[in-house]
Each structure stands twice: as C-alpha cells, then as structure tokens.
C-alpha cells in the first residue's frame, strides 16, 4: 500500500535517514522503534510529505508521489491521516469545529453530515460530551483522542502516528493506546512511531527497528522482543525493557 | 516681562473658551489623519507581509525594499518628499500644475510609513504561529487558502492586535509632524495660538493633554478588546 524506496534525508549535516526502504501492506500495523534521533519520525513524516526526502521515492498504492507537486500531494494525503506528538489541535476552534473544518472544506461534506459523523467519531473515542469544549480545556489524553478522531473524519486508509503518547502524562497514555488498539482491531492500516514497547508487542504485525537513519532489524514482534537478531537491537531492548 | 505677567497671560488664554475649541478641532484633525493612515498601513501591511512571505523571490525582494527603505529613512523626510518633491515632479511630467492638499499628502506619507511597520508586525504574527498548526492543516489536506483563512490568520490576528494598537498610538503622536508642512492639526493649532498670544506655555501644554487623553482612551479600549480576545482561547 505504501512503499518507500531508498529514502535519504539530511538535516544540517545530520543524516536522519540513510537509504531506507520500507513498505506496508493493507491491514498491517507496523511499529517503528529505535532510540531518539534514529530517523523513525522522519520516515513517518516523509510518508505524508511533511518532510521532503533528499532522494528516494514514495509510492502510495503503486503510484509514485512527488510531494512538491500540490495536486499529487493532496491526492496522497487524502489517503493518509497523521497524528502528531503535540496533537496540533486548532486552539481557536471548539472540538466540533476542529473536527468538521477539513471535511467541509476539502471533502465538501455538508455541515449536518460532518456534524453527524463527528459526533459518531467523538463517541467512539469516548468524548461525546466534549464537542463544545475548546482544546485548552482538555487534558493531553483527551486532546490526542480528538486529534485521532479529527484525522479519521477524512476517511484515511492509512493512519500515521508520530509518537502519539510521548507528550502525555503517564496516566493518560492508556486511554490513547486503547483508542489506537480499537482502530487496529477494526483493520486500519497503521504506521506507529512509538516508545511503548508493550503496545508494540501487543498490536504490531511487524516491528521495524531503526538506528542512525538505517533500518537495522525487521521482524514479527514475538521474534523481535524474544530473540533480537542484531547486537544493536539487543542493546536497545536491554535499555528500554525494565 | 516678569513671571507674574507670564502666568497672567496663561490665565488669559485659558479663560477664553474659543481657544479650547480651536485645540479640539486640531485634535480631531490629528485623530482623522492617524486613523486613516493606520487603516492604510494595515492594508499595506497585509500586502507587504504577503510579499515578504511569498515563494517568489522577486516579490520577496520588493517587500524587503519597501520595508527597508521606509524604516531606514526619517518619517519627516518622507513627508517632505510627498509634499515638496512629488507635486513638482508630477507637474513637470504632466505639464499641468499639480496642487496638493497638505492633509491628503501628509496622511498618505504617514500611511505608507506605517505600512512598513505593519508589514513586520503582521509577518511576525504569521511566522510566530507554531509549525504544528501548519502541519496539521496540511495533513488534513486543507488548501493553502483555507489554511490561511481558517487556521493561521485567525491565530495571527490575536497576536497582532496589541502591537497594532500601539502602532495606532504612535501614529497619533507622529501626526504632529504634519505641523512642519503647515497642516493645522493639533500641534500646529497650538503653535499658532502661542504665536498670537506671545506665550506658548498654555497652548503647548494643553495640546499635550489632548494627545494624552486620546492615547489613554485608545489604550483603555484596546485592553478591553484584548481581554475579550483572550477569553475565547
């Protein structure tokens, strides 16, 4: 469904991604893990064109995407939803307005239609009573659940999560992971950049381990966590698994 | 003339209600000049900011030229340019005598000047918006126009209101520069009055009070508006 070929990206002399190739098929849930600065977020952002790779190609459903071309970028983004570490809700709009803005403007949904859909999604993420609230009044976990619901409004076929729980207080991590788990069970194709090893182990169909801009190891969660093949993955797991 | 006479003269000016009326009319002119120039500046500022933030290199260059040229030269010189040089040039080019109204030219000069400062205020309001907001709008596939219209500009607007108000207050004071080209606004009315009575103490101090009242009222209103805007966050 998504294929990334030979992606390289350098930020001010730091190689964030070094000739990385990656693919994901429909219904798969891929967790990207690795130490900070390993390039996992950059890879996730390249898929959605939030970063433009210096070299390499991105294919979505077999079609090569040039994200510098507005039309192609829009078409590619209509298939993907993106969830940010810092939620990025629009602070000057109520939860409901956050939800319905893009569907109305981009998908030309009618207001009533958008509101009906928004209410349905909000109750799915357990926030049916918050549609009038402004983001400032929500907890981190609630904000992230609204953000997930907001991107689901656009009917994405693939959801990209860039460290969705890293900015949350520990007691709020669960509620967000639960929503993601529910999505996973419904068969959503997902790319998740995460530090939540337990979550990755439970729901991933595949683990991709990156370090210093390269994919070091790729395996099923069972094998990856029980018998990591590479020294680097072994070292990493030793540090993060308590 | 001793000091008693000096202050006695003051009382004489102060006891004539006509004098207050003269200053009040001057103040109204000052306020009109500042207001029109301010609005002009906002319009030019929006244009200037979109030039400076444009992808097109040449347009960015134009925006930079405007801001640097205006900010790098005295406002008084700009006023004199529009009053003394521009009409002459137009006369020479068209061959018809081109006469200008002091207030009109002066307001245009101040407006163009203010536009350069507003450009920077609006530009910094826009680039001050968190990158995450742009990215979220982008990932939701909003068009550039919708992104600006619904996400970026409303947030930038809130950022820009307080400095825009202080720009307005600055303009009320700067409008006094038009006294140099003989436009009878508040300061020049006071000067004329002082010259008539051979005593400047009361007219100039009173003009100062008028400026103070205008700026104080505006900043009080602005504070209320700001509080209102902050509530909707």
């Amino acid at each position: 469904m998504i294929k990334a070929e030979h992606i390289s990206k350098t930020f001010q002399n730091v190689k964030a991604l070094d000739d990385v190739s990656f693919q994901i098929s429909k219904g798969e849930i891929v967790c990207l893990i690795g130490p900070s600065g390993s390039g996992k977020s950059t890879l996730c952002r390249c898929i959605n064109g939030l970063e433009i790779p210096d070299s390499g190609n991105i294919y979505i459903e077999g079609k090569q995407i040039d994200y510098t071309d507005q039309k192609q970028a829009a078409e590619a983004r209509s298939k993907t939803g993106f969830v940010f570490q810092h939620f990025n809700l629009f602070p000057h709009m109520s939860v409901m307005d956050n939800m319905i803005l893009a569907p109305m403007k981009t998908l030309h949904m009618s207001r009533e239609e958008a509101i009906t859909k928004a209410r349905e999604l909000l109750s799915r993420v357990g926030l049916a009573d918050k549609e009038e609230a402004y983001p400032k009044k929500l907890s981190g976990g609630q904000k992230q659940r609204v953000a997930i619901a907001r991107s689901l409004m656009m009917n994405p076929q693939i959801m990209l999560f860039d460290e969705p729980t890293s900015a949350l207080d520990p007691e709020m991590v669960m509620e967000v992971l639960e929503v993601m788990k529910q999505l996973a069970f419904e068969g959503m194709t997902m790319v998740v950049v995460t530090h939540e090893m337990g979550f990755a182990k439970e729901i991933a169909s595949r683990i991709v381990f990156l370090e210093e801009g390269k994919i070091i190891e790729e395996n099923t969660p069972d094998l990856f966590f029980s018998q990591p093949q590479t020294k680097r993955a072994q070292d990493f797991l030793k540090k993060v698994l308590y | 003339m001793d000091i008693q006479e000096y202050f006695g003269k003051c009382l004489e000016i102060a006891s004539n209600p006509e004098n207050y009326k003269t200053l009040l009319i001057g103040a109204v002119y000052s306020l009109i000049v500042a207001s029109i120039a301010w609005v002009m500046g906002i319009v030019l500022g929006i244009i200037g900011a979109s030039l400076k933030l444009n992808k097109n290199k040449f347009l960015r260059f134009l925006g930079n030229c405007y801001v640097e040229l205006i900010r790098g030269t005295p406002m008084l010189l700009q006023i004199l340019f529009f009053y003394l040089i521009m009409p002459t040039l137009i006369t020479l080019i068209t061959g018809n005598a081109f006469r200008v109204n002091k207030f009109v030219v002066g307001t245009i000069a101040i407006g163009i000047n203010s536009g350069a400062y507003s450009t920077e205020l609006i530009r910094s309001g826009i680039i001050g918006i968190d990158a995450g907001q742009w990215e979220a709008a982008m990932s939701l596939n909003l068009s550039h126009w919708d992104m600006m219209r619904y996400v970026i500009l409303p947030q930038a607007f809130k950022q820009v209101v307080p400095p825009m108000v202080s720009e307005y207050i600055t303009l009320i004071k700067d409008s006094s520069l038009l006294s140099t080209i003989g436009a009878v606004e508040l300061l020049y009315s006071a000067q004329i009055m002082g010259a008539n009575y051979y005593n400047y103490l009361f007219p100039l101090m009173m003009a100062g009070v008028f400026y103070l009242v205008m700026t104080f009222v505006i900043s009080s209103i602005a504070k209320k508006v700001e509080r209102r805007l902050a509530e909707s966050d």
Side-chain angles (χ1 to χ4, degrees):
Chain A
M1 205 165 187
I2 296 180
K3 198 161 81 177
E5 272 185 352
H6 306 295
I7 304 290
S8 293
K9 175 80 187 175
T10 305
F11 295 110
Q12 287 131 16
N13 303 325
V14 180
K15 261 211 154 125
L17 288 176
D18 186 4
D19 195 25
V20 166
S21 296
F22 165 85
Q23 58 178 313
I24 178 166
S25 19
K26 195 167 165 44
E28 251 194 314
I29 294 158
V30 175
C31 285
L32 304 180
I33 66 175
S36 22
S38 57
K40 51 196 191 312
S41 282
T42 310
L43 179 57
C44 192
R45 291 165 59 83
C46 281
I47 295 171
N48 204 32
L50 292 173
E51 303 291 351
I52 308 291
D54 302 331
S55 62
N57 300 318
I58 308 264
Y59 301 86
I60 293 187
E61 293 182 322
K63 235 170 120 185
Q64 191 182 332
I65 309 294
D66 174 8
Y67 273 110
T68 54
D69 179 289
Q70 284 200 0
K71 225 173 142 190
Q72 287 186 40
E75 204 198 316
R77 287 192 186 116
S78 71
K79 300 196 173 91
T80 56
F82 200 100
V83 176
F84 298 86
Q85 181 178 354
H86 296 287
F87 335 122
N88 298 346
L89 296 178
F90 305 135
H92 59 298
M93 293 181 193
S94 68
V95 165
M96 182 52 83
D97 287 338
N98 263 279
M99 302 275 292
I100 64 177
L101 174 68
M104 281 168 59
K105 294 295 159 196
T106 309
L107 304 178
H108 307 291
M109 231 184 247
S110 75
R111 196 180 176 83
E112 293 70 33
E113 215 181 326
I115 288 177
T116 310
K117 189 171 166 130
R119 290 203 172 123
E120 185 192 307
L121 280 167
L122 282 175
S123 64
R124 257 174 71 186
V125 300
L127 293 171
D129 55 334
K130 297 290 182 196
E131 62 173 78
E132 295 304 323
Y134 278 83
K136 203 168 86 171
K137 300 270 183 217
L138 302 179
S139 71
Q142 292 172 332
K143 281 185 205 170
Q144 194 60 298
R145 285 186 280 155
V146 171
I148 293 172
R150 182 176 70 175
S151 43
L152 289 174
M153 286 293 288
M154 304 299 285
N155 307 318
Q157 294 165 34
I158 307 159
M159 286 290 282
L160 308 167
F161 293 87
D162 185 8
E163 302 203 21
T165 58
S166 298
L168 298 178
D169 291 334
E171 72 271 23
M172 290 169 184
V173 169
M174 229 17 184
E175 60 188 63
V176 172
L177 293 182
E178 283 300 326
V179 167
M180 291 168 65
K181 214 153 91 181
Q182 187 192 332
L183 260 183
F185 287 141
E186 286 163 12
M188 178 63 80
T189 311
M190 290 160 64
V191 177
V192 185
V193 176
T194 188
H195 292 290
E196 299 293 334
M197 297 303 149
F199 174 78
K201 201 170 173 178
E202 192 186 338
I203 71 148
S205 37
R206 183 156 45 105
I207 303 283
V208 173
F209 175 71
L210 288 101
E211 197 178 86
E212 288 173 353
K214 286 197 168 92
I215 293 179
I216 306 291
E217 190 167 336
E218 231 181 308
N219 219 330
T220 61
D222 282 349
L223 287 174
F224 179 81
F225 286 105
S226 61
Q227 333 168 4
Q229 302 296 303
T230 56
K231 175 95 179 40
R232 287 166 146 186
Q234 289 162 12
D235 289 346
F236 175 74
L237 287 175
K238 239 182 251 166
K239 278 182 213 153
V240 295
L241 294 179
Y242 184 66
Chain B
M1 180 169 72
D2 61 17
I3 192 146
Q4 252 181 348
E5 251 180 281
Y6 188 66
F7 282 105
K9 194 72 161 183
C10 268
L11 280 179
E12 186 197 329
I13 308 173
S15 56
N16 184 349
E18 275 304 304
N19 288 335
Y20 294 97
K21 203 177 140 198
T22 309
L23 290 179
L24 191 64
I25 291 169
V28 169
Y29 273 105
S30 290
L31 198 62
I32 291 172
V33 168
S35 304
I36 295 175
W38 187 56
V39 172
M40 217 178 119
I42 291 173
V43 174
L44 288 173
I46 292 169
I47 297 170
S50 43
L51 289 178
K52 281 197 72 162
L53 293 171
N54 207 283
K55 274 187 202 149
N56 185 310
K57 240 182 171 173
F58 177 70
L59 294 180
R60 271 206 317 268
F61 173 74
L62 272 187
N64 279 322
C65 283
Y66 171 50
V67 171
E68 296 309 322
L69 187 71
I70 296 295
R71 292 204 306 185
T73 55
M75 193 198 281
L76 186 52
L77 188 144
Q78 292 156 20
I79 293 170
L80 293 176
F81 173 85
F82 279 97
Y83 182 60
L84 298 175
I85 301 176
M86 191 199 60
T88 314
L89 282 181
I90 292 180
T91 304
L92 290 175
I93 290 166
T94 60
N96 300 319
F98 186 76
R99 291 181 56 91
V100 292
N101 177 299
K102 290 165 182 172
F103 272 111
V104 173
V105 203
T107 305
I108 289 173
I110 297 176
I112 288 175
N113 180 283
S114 172
Y117 290 90
S118 298
T119 295
E120 285 304 301
L121 293 180
I122 292 168
R123 189 185 73 98
S124 63
I126 291 173
I127 60 174
I129 302 299
D130 178 43
Q133 294 289 312
W134 299 85
E135 290 182 351
M138 218 197 259
S139 76
L140 288 170
N141 233 340
L142 289 174
S143 68
H144 184 75
W145 166 249
D146 286 337
M147 166 157 64
M148 291 309 275
R149 162 89 177 73
Y150 296 103
V151 179
I152 303 300
L153 291 180
Q155 294 185 64
F157 174 74
K158 268 189 203 175
Q159 302 289 313
V160 167
V161 167
M164 272 301 180
V165 171
S166 53
E167 173 68 11
Y168 187 34
I169 288 172
T170 303
L171 289 181
I172 289 181
K173 293 178 289 172
D174 284 350
S175 66
S176 63
L177 287 171
L178 295 193
S179 63
T180 55
I181 60 171
V184 191
E185 38 64 72
L186 179 54
L187 183 66
Y188 199 45
S189 330
Q191 276 180 275
I192 294 170
M193 192 180 296
N196 285 341
Y197 286 96
Y198 300 108
N199 187 317
Y200 286 93
L201 179 64
F202 179 82
L204 289 183
M205 293 302 112
M206 203 57 211
V209 169
F210 273 95
Y211 282 115
L212 210 52
V213 168
M214 286 192 282
T215 54
F216 182 76
V217 168
I218 288 165
S219 61
S220 308
I221 295 172
K223 264 186 207 138
K224 271 194 195 134
V225 173
E226 271 168 49
R227 222 171 295 144
R228 188 73 70 71
L229 285 174
E231 268 167 20
S232 72
D233 263 341

